[in-house]
C-alpha cells in the first residue's frame, strides 16, 4: 500500500532557507531510493511576499505618509532587509525546483502585529 503512488504520497514541508531545503532534498532522495515511496508536492512555509515599491526611497513618502525624518534610515534598512530576504528565498526555491522537480505549494509568511501583554492588577 505504501509503495502504490495512487494510494500513498509523502508531502514534505520546508522553509525557503538553505539548511531546511538541503535537509528536505536529502530526505526526499532517501524516501524514494530506500523506501520507494512516491513524493507529492513540497509545501514551503513562511514565504515572504514581494512587496511593491519596497526598494523605493522612503524620502519620497515622507509627506504622503507623515513619516518623521528621523525614521528614514530605519525605513531604508527595513526595506533593504525585506528585499534581500525575498531574493534569497526565491534563489532557494529555484534551487529546490532544480534539485527536486516536484510541484511546490507556497504558504505565505503571515504578518501580524505584535501583541503586548497587558498588565493586570487585581
Amino acid at each position: 500500500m505504501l509503495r502504490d503512488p495512487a494510494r500513498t504520497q509523502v508531502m514534505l514541508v520546508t522553509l525557503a532557507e538553505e539548511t531546511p531545503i538541503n535537509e528536505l532534498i536529502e530526505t526526499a532522495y532517501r524516501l524514494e531510493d530506500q523506501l520507494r515511496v512516491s513524493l507529492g508536492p513540497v509545501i514551503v512555509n513562511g514565504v515572504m511576499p514581494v512587496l511593491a515599491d519596497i526598494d523605493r526611497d522612503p524620502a519620497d513618502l515622507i509627506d504622503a505618509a507623515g513619516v518623521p525624518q528621523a525614521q528614514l534610515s530605519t525605513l531604508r534598512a527595513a526595506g533593504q532587509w525585506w528585499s534581500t530576504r525575498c531574493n534569497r528565498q526565491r534563489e532557494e526555491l529555484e534551487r529546490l525546483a532544480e534539485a527536486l522537480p516536484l510541484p511546490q505549494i507556497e504558504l505565505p509568511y503571515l504578518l501580524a502585529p505584535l501583541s503586548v501583554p497587558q498588565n493586570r492588577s487585581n
Side-chain angles (χ1 to χ4, degrees):
M1 180 175 89
L2 291 177
R3 291 186 181 145
D4 179 1
R7 297 175 77 181
T8 304
Q9 287 188 336
V10 174
M11 294 180 71
L12 299 170
V13 180
T14 189
L15 296 172
E17 298 174 9
E18 183 179 7
T19 300
I21 287 179
N22 289 342
E23 292 172 355
L24 179 129
I25 292 167
E26 182 180 323
T27 300
Y29 287 146
R30 285 186 176 177
L31 286 169
E32 285 183 321
D33 295 342
Q34 295 175 5
L35 298 178
R36 295 187 310 242
V37 296
S38 178
L39 299 176
V42 174
I43 299 173
V44 184
N45 201 8
V47 177
M48 298 175 75
V50 175
L51 301 176
D53 295 330
I54 194 68
D55 293 325
R56 186 173 172 188
D57 189 346
D60 298 343
L61 306 172
I62 287 178
D63 294 330
V67 175
Q69 182 78 24
Q71 293 182 353
L72 281 180
S73 63
T74 302
L75 289 174
R76 279 190 192 101
Q80 289 171 349
W81 179 88
W82 191 276
S83 181
T84 299
R85 183 85 173 117
C86 287
N87 289 338
R88 285 184 184 157
Q89 282 191 334
R90 287 288 142 216
E91 290 169 3
E92 290 302 321
L93 292 174
E94 288 173 13
R95 186 173 68 85
L96 173 60
E98 289 174 14
L100 201 60
L102 294 170
Q104 294 179 15
I105 299 171
E106 294 182 12
L107 300 178
Y109 178 84
L110 298 178
L111 300 171
L114 294 174
S115 60
V116 178
Q118 296 181 0
N119 236 348
R120 297 184 186 197
S121 55
N122 291 335

